[in-house]
Amino acid sequence: MMRFVKAGLGASVIAILAFAAGEAFAQDKEVVFGFQCDRTGPTATVGTVLCPGYHDYIDLVNSKGGVEGYKIRVIEVDNEYKVPPAIEAHERFKKEGAVLEGLYGTPQTAALNKKLEEDKILGTSPGFGSAAAADGKRYPYTFPIAASYWSQAGAAVEFVKEKLGGNLKGKKIAYIFYDNPAGKEPLPILEELSKSQGFELRTFAVPAPGVEMGAQVLDIASRYKPDFVIAHLFGRAPSVSIKEFKGKGYPLSKVVSFVWGSAEADIIAAGGMAAAEGYNTMQFAGVGSDFQVIKDIVAMYKAAGKPAPKEMASSVYYNRGVLNAAMHVEAVRNAIKAKGGAKPTSEEVKNGMEHIKGFTLGGLLPPMELTPADHEGGGWVQVWTVHGGKLTRTKDWFQGYRSVIQKHLAADASKS
Amino acid sequence: MFHREAGVFKTTYAADMALYPLPIAKWAVAALALIFVVVIPMAVEEYYLAILNLIFIAIVGALGLNILVGYTGQISIGHGAFMSVGAYTAANLAVRLGLPFWLTLPAGGLMAALIGVIVGMPSLRIKGLYLAIATLAGQLIIEWTINHVPAISGGAQASIEVPRPDLFGFVLNTQGRLYYFLLFFAVLAIVATLNLIRSRMGRAFIAVRDQDIAAEIIGINIYRYKLLSFAISSFFAGVCGVLYTYYFGIANYEQFQLVVSIDYLAMIIIGGLGSVLGSIFGAIFVTLLPIVLRLLLETVGSLVFSDAELANVISGTRLAIFGGLIIFFLIVEPEGLNRLWRNIRSYFRVWPFSY
């Protein structure tokens, strides 16, 4: 047994020494990005596709000489969707001098909001965290940089209105949601819009883990018979919902899903693209591989003699990773330019992030405009519909009921 | 100072129950105190303090769970929920009434103790796997309640932001300041548990664990002691939840879901059931091993892979090694790291004359 103990001690000593040696490499012409990911936890299906997209974009920038002459070094930490590892990750990024970091996960974002502000390092959380984080005055270092659930709710109603002929008066809309805080978050927006637009709203909660919703869908399809369904589900639940709607005979063309029920994998798991004809999905990043930046990444791989990454096929999540990386790079680019080429501090990078405007990467990113007050960038979404075996764009970048969302943000801010 | 006893010469009960049976133990504690209070905060970077802080919080929770599982022989997979009870109690008191942490912390613990007793009531009738399922139900009911009662959860997001605790005008907003704050409570929890288990109550717990019928026959009210064990254990869990709340600056029920209960059970099983030192070892092991493994893999892996590939390789490999190491340690020593440590100690105690 002593042998084992000695071997263990030896291994840890090597680890510590090696770690200490690794630190000596810090370079002048280098900026450090921290990036959290979940490749092994409950949301691994997202992380294993999204995070390679992030790395590929950074590699692309590095292969073209970096950002304004600075090479980017990414430190990735897999937080397994647990909170304590996310705290450890943040401290690691801080120690290595990261100028910004990508967050992963809603509870992790919540637990780090305060720390980010204290340490003056910005964190981006596209698709995670609360709608209130869009308010840059309340959370100065948290950047959702993608449509929040409130904005998505507004956009969903806008889309439904268009589909139902421009008037919602007297129409019936069902909202089926995962019964957790994220699922319940859009309710105040939907309720207010139901009053102002005159439609009837009924909500159907799906309890965790969301794999059993036969009763709710039957209720919707056979009893309530709404004119449209807005679905806000996570994990396995979107696939199950597609199957159930199909099975109960409710047309999928009258269903619009929030951003976490809208990946190719969700649709394929529900029986394939062909079976889900008409299913509408909201997206905060472009879908598909028909973008110059994606082609550039493929070319980069080709130049290295490798095939294009297989994650690319799952373009919804992959492109979201690219979006996150692109916003990071752009923020740093702004900061370096503003400083005349000198290496920026994390506060200057935050300032750079708040001045991103008109950066769309050929349509992969929405026409976001970040300001010190609006860290969401406007809350833009696209709607993509399953059509002929693939996702096709049915509605270009749009915002829904912006004034209602801004009113709620202001009300929420005055509460705290 | 290093010479050992050559036999058992205890002649009084006081000597038998002493916290430090040997002078070396006293010296060791003094040295540890010096290292933790003075040397570490001055010598190491904030990053390492942050890891230690996480370990301190985990120690409080692991000790609490060990009182219940290790010492009293009852099982609970609802401790994550008890933490959330403490967290939300403290957060509500801190935000709505503006109470300071030295009031919200015990209040969170007491509320968790109360809920713990209620969830623990099935233990009067059922044991083992049945009790595990009953406490699992407790976990789910508490999660659901927090999620659906805005009066507790503070709104649809089910999260309440709390201000940083302050003490004598010092706002505890850096890892260094939080270090002392959390160290204090970790030490308090350790000392409290050490004292608890050598008291009448602790011995009653052990009697209930070893043979409950025999314990009842010798006059121990097992109902009372089982519920007491649930109460004390949940109190620790509640305090652990409050510490998490102040450390993160937010109470959020998603931080205390079922997987947290399982993580803490893993800590005490790896560390050693029914031992204080085992709880500490377990908390350190489960918190630190993934970090050390990642650093090791990053260094070794960077020789072979590019950064982007490496990230993919590390996650999976780390999980496999982590799982493998747990199996390895449990095969080498089923009674946990604490027993392993004692074996090492007794080896060196007679070294080099082991026969």
Side-chain angles (χ1 to χ4, degrees):
Chain A
M1 198 199 63
M2 286 310 298
R3 238 177 353 165
F4 295 138
V5 173
K6 279 178 197 152
L9 279 177
S12 11
V13 168
I14 291 170
I16 289 161
L17 285 180
F19 183 49
E23 276 168 47
F25 279 115
Q27 290 167 6
D28 275 353
K29 277 285 187 186
E30 179 186 83
V31 284
V32 180
F33 289 7
F35 188 60
Q36 302 197 19
C37 184
D38 172 16
R39 291 170 188 262
T40 47
T43 59
T45 46
V46 177
T48 45
V49 179
L50 192 150
C51 302
Y54 183 90
H55 286 286
D56 283 343
Y57 184 80
I58 300 286
D59 285 349
L60 180 70
V61 171
N62 276 339
S63 74
K64 290 182 175 172
V67 46
E68 306 289 314
Y70 288 83
K71 288 270 182 201
I72 301 162
R73 179 163 65 97
V74 179
I75 304 163
E76 189 197 291
V77 173
D78 179 358
N79 66 25
E80 299 175 48
Y81 216 80
K82 290 178 183 171
V83 177
I87 303 286
E88 185 262 326
H90 167 76
E91 292 294 333
R92 168 109 193 265
F93 300 154
K94 190 170 83 184
K95 172 172 168 284
E96 307 240 355
V99 290
L100 51 74
E101 68 183 85
L103 306 175
Y104 194 103
T106 297
Q108 290 77 4
T109 305
L112 275 170
N113 270 339
K114 188 164 269 170
K115 205 87 201 94
L116 293 170
E117 192 178 337
E118 282 167 2
D119 295 333
K120 300 201 184 307
I121 299 173
L122 79 87
T124 57
S125 56
F128 301 113
S130 71
D135 186 346
K137 293 198 196 78
R138 254 173 101 189
Y139 300 100
Y141 282 84
T142 308
F143 284 79
I145 60 165
S148 70
Y149 296 137
W150 282 357
S151 302
Q152 290 174 41
V157 173
E158 175 83 38
F159 175 72
V160 172
K161 187 177 177 181
E162 190 185 294
K163 285 292 240 189
L164 296 180
N167 190 1
L168 287 172
K169 211 154 221 62
K171 302 280 193 220
K172 293 198 287 185
I173 295 181
Y175 175 59
I176 181 168
F177 65 103
Y178 200 90
D179 197 3
N180 69 359
K184 286 191 293 184
E185 192 172 37
L187 284 173
I189 304 289
L190 291 172
E191 276 157 12
E192 177 165 343
L193 288 176
S194 142
K195 278 193 210 102
S196 67
Q197 300 295 312
F199 64 87
E200 187 189 317
L201 175 76
R202 195 179 291 178
T203 59
F204 299 84
V206 176
V211 289
E212 178 48 59
M213 61 185 88
Q216 289 89 336
V217 172
L218 189 65
D219 217 13
I220 293 174
S222 307
R223 198 178 296 164
Y224 187 52
K225 299 192 179 114
D227 296 294
F228 226 93
V229 174
I230 299 173
H232 184 17
L233 300 162
F234 300 91
R236 274 271 153 265
S239 307
V240 178
S241 78
I242 296 172
K243 260 191 207 160
E244 290 284 356
F245 277 118
K246 189 106 184 136
K248 304 284 190 300
Y250 190 84
L252 284 170
S253 59
K254 286 191 188 177
V255 178
V256 59
S257 166
F258 273 40
V259 297
W260 291 115
S262 57
E264 292 94 338
D266 297 321
I267 298 161
I268 290 165
M273 285 282 178
E277 179 76 24
Y279 183 64
N280 302 296
T281 66
M282 271 193 284
Q283 307 286 353
F284 65 74
V287 178
S289 301
D290 195 19
F291 298 99
Q292 190 53 44
V293 55
I294 303 291
K295 287 174 191 153
D296 287 350
I297 291 173
V298 175
M300 176 183 77
Y301 271 88
K302 202 174 235 168
K306 286 183 229 169
K310 61 181 186 311
E311 290 86 5
M312 224 172 231
S314 203
S315 71
V316 171
Y317 291 150
Y318 185 88
N319 291 3
R320 286 179 194 176
V322 173
L323 172 138
N324 203 351
M327 292 297 283
H328 284 183
V329 172
E330 201 58 19
V332 171
R333 191 187 306 278
N334 282 349
I336 295 173
K337 274 186 185 159
K339 220 183 170 186
K343 190 171 175 172
T345 66
S346 59
E347 283 161 84
E348 286 154 356
V349 170
K350 181 219 171 207
N351 197 31
M353 185 67 98
E354 282 170 346
H355 287 87
I356 291 182
K357 191 182 164 185
F359 172 65
T360 63
L361 215 57
L364 186 89
L365 272 63
M368 268 189 270
E369 184 179 348
L370 291 158
T371 65
D374 180 11
H375 285 184
E376 189 189 354
W380 300 85
V381 293
Q382 278 180 332
V383 176
W384 289 67
T385 305
V386 180
H387 194 68
K390 64 180 203 305
L391 284 166
T392 54
R393 193 168 64 202
T394 36
K395 195 163 165 58
D396 207 355
W397 297 114
F398 70 105
Q399 300 165 297
Y401 300 102
R402 200 69 201 142
S403 58
V404 175
I405 285 131
Q406 263 151 358
K407 197 181 86 190
H408 276 261
L409 277 174
D412 203 65
S414 66
K415 244 190 331 190
S416 68
Chain B
M1 195 180 77
F2 272 83
H3 62 83
R4 298 287 314 205
E5 82 283 25
V8 180
F9 295 122
K10 289 165 185 160
T11 51
T12 60
Y13 282 114
D16 192 40
M17 288 178 66
L19 260 183
Y20 307 121
L22 294 170
I24 188 174
K26 213 177 283 182
W27 290 110
V29 168
L32 278 178
L34 187 72
I35 290 173
F36 275 96
V37 176
V38 182
V39 179
I40 287 184
M42 297 215 325
V44 307
E45 287 179 70
E46 224 183 345
Y47 169 63
Y48 301 102
L49 289 183
I51 296 176
L52 281 171
N53 285 343
L54 291 172
I55 291 175
F56 290 152
I57 301 175
I59 285 175
V60 176
L63 279 171
L65 191 58
N66 219 337
I67 291 173
L68 184 71
V69 181
Y71 284 107
T72 322
Q74 310 299 307
I75 191 160
S76 163
I77 38 182
H79 261 58
F82 300 152
M83 288 177 200
S84 66
V85 171
Y88 278 95
T89 308
N92 275 312
L93 291 176
V95 172
R96 293 189 192 191
L97 303 178
L99 296 181
F101 79 87
W102 46 269
L103 284 176
T104 60
L105 193 113
L110 287 174
M111 182 58 95
L114 182 72
I115 303 292
V117 167
I118 295 169
V119 173
M121 276 184 182
S123 70
L124 306 180
R125 292 270 177 160
I126 53 178
K127 285 189 223 174
L129 276 178
Y130 298 92
L131 183 58
I133 296 303
T135 51
L136 173 66
Q139 165 91 30
L140 298 178
I141 291 169
I142 293 170
E143 272 182 25
W144 189 91
T145 310
I146 290 175
N147 195 0
H148 286 84
V149 182
I152 302 174
S153 67
Q157 267 296 316
S159 47
I160 305 174
E161 289 170 43
V162 294
R164 290 279 185 211
D166 66 282
L167 194 64
F168 311 125
F170 277 106
V171 182
L172 304 174
N173 57 358
T174 62
Q175 297 290 354
R177 287 175 182 177
L178 282 164
Y179 172 85
Y180 285 110
F181 177 71
L182 297 170
L183 175 67
F184 173 77
F185 287 106
V187 170
L188 200 66
I190 293 168
V191 174
T193 317
L194 281 174
N195 279 308
L196 176 77
I197 53 172
R198 60 197 192 111
S199 69
R200 180 190 165 77
M201 203 191 285
R203 296 189 180 214
F205 288 167
I206 294 168
V208 172
R209 174 192 69 192
D210 287 346
Q211 179 54 271
D212 54 353
I213 295 171
E216 198 169 13
I217 288 167
I218 59 170
I220 293 168
N221 183 344
I222 57 169
Y223 292 166
R224 189 169 151 232
Y225 280 105
K226 275 182 178 174
L227 287 186
L228 251 178
S229 179
F230 261 100
I232 295 171
S233 176
S234 316
F235 182 86
F236 275 68
V239 169
C240 175
V242 180
L243 293 178
Y244 271 130
T245 301
Y246 278 117
Y247 187 55
F248 299 149
I250 196 166
N252 179 318
Y253 94 101
E254 288 181 283
Q255 290 157 356
F256 305 105
Q257 286 183 318
L258 184 60
V259 60
V260 175
S261 301
I262 307 292
D263 275 352
Y264 275 84
L265 270 178
M267 280 182 204
I268 60 169
I269 291 170
I270 296 163
L273 289 172
S275 89
V276 171
L277 204 53
S279 316
I280 301 172
F281 282 150
I284 296 174
F285 187 87
V286 170
T287 314
L288 208 55
L289 189 63
I291 299 171
V292 172
L293 278 179
R294 194 183 60 235
L295 297 180
L296 190 70
L297 286 168
E298 269 176 17
T299 321
V300 178
S302 62
L303 305 174
V304 188
F305 300 103
S306 77
D307 274 1
E309 291 167 333
L310 187 61
N312 206 1
V313 173
I314 284 180
S315 296
T317 320
R318 191 183 61 158
L319 211 61
I321 297 180
F322 185 65
L325 275 178
I326 289 176
I327 296 172
F328 169 78
F329 274 111
L330 288 180
I331 288 174
V332 171
E333 189 46 75
E335 287 176 49
L337 296 174
N338 179 53
R339 186 54 182 266
L340 206 59
W341 161 248
R342 273 167 49 195
N343 289 349
I344 295 169
R345 221 173 47 170
S346 33
Y347 174 87
F348 280 108
R349 196 152 143 182
V350 288
W351 184 87
F353 308 110
S354 48
Y355 297 102

